[in-house]
Amino acid sequence: MKIRKAVFPAAGFGTRFLPATKAIPKEMLPLIDKPLIQYSVEEAKRSGLEEVIIVTGMGKTAIEDHFDISFELEMLLKERNKTDILRMVEELSNFIHFSYTRQKKPLGLGHAIHCAKNLVGMEPFAVFLSDDVIDAKTPVMKQMVNIFRQYPYSILAVQRVPKKDVHHYGIIEAKKIAPRVYKVIDMVEKPHSQDAPSNLAIIGRYILMPEIFTALEEIKPGKGGEIQLTDGLKALLKKQPVYAYEFEGDRYDAGDKLGFLKANVSFALKNSAINKEFRRYLKGLKL
Ligand code: G1P
């Protein structure tokens, strides 16, 4: 079955970036010259997905405006013969089909995904957490879609993390069944390092079976009093297999100040318009 739809939870308050995110959604913070969320929307498109469903909340209209047509801007660029920029802006509004739904209360990631139930319907779908920016030769979701052909169940992107960092992630207990592929046995959301079943951490890319919606309805609030996606997946695991895939690519936690800075530096070093000058600047820094 083809994966056509991508859900982007984007209702969080972005408290780690306050005050920058008081009036601007954290998804709109720029990595060089594109907002964070655009990187994962582009990944969705390059992975062959056709529809993007963004779960927004209060104060997030800038995301909708960003992916919409700006008639005034396009007119201005036309009048001034800025054809290259015009093409870029036009491409963005014709990029992929967008739908929006709102999470009315901040009840957790699992709850946010559940808000997309009616727009997704009864088909497997992808989830992107745009805080996780992944630089990969083959887009990570495309790698996962390929794995899904062989293992047509829910698939979680995972990466090994240092033991001291496991409390930031959903951690899986799993059995390796093929190169980079694991069968999930159990999982726990943000465990203390002494309780973690492994150091395989869930990263923000998922392929989910539609049965996740019923599973999310069955669970109680978990870590932080929120409806956790990890707990929903744990409930799903009782009914059908769940797999994990150790993706190929460099991942940045752009939801964190240091991770965001690292992502900016790495992307700047790869950006042909500025990398020479930027490299010279970095070399000249007296550290
Ligand atoms: C969420 C998930 C967690 C996962 C992480 C990946 O946590 O709840 O299981 O490991 O994303 O980025 P958050 O970072 O939103 O707190």
Side-chain angles (χ1 to χ4, degrees), residues 44 73 91 107 126 150 156 203 207 228 231 245:
L73 176 64
E91 261 177 28
L107 298 180
Q150 214 182 334
L156 323 177
I203 303 302
I207 289 178
Q228 296 291 350
D231 295 341
Y245 169 67

Side-chain angles (χ1 to χ4, degrees), residues 90-139:
E90 279 174 342
E91 261 177 28
L92 199 57
S93 53
N94 295 321
F95 197 61
I96 199 165
H97 182 272
F98 288 93
S99 318
Y100 297 88
T101 185
R102 275 171 86 116
Q103 184 186 25
K104 294 191 182 118
K105 286 185 186 164
L107 298 180
L109 177 60
H111 178 261
I113 301 291
H114 191 269
C115 292
K117 180 180 173 181
N118 290 342
L119 288 171
V120 170
M122 278 310 286
E123 57 184 278
F125 61 102
V127 171
F128 291 76
L129 306 187
S130 51
D131 277 2
D132 284 320
V133 175
I134 310 174
D135 187 17
K137 249 191 239 138
T138 306

Side-chain angles (χ1 to χ4, degrees), residues 109 129 132 168-170 189-190 202-204 206 228 230 251:
L109 177 60
L129 306 187
D132 284 320
H168 292 303
Y169 302 93
E189 178 68 6
K190 304 197 172 103
I202 304 173
I203 303 302
Y206 307 75
Q228 296 291 350
T230 305
R251 171 251 176 185

Side-chain angles (χ1 to χ4, degrees), residues 282-287:
L282 288 181
K283 277 191 176 155
L285 287 178
K286 292 188 183 63
L287 296 174

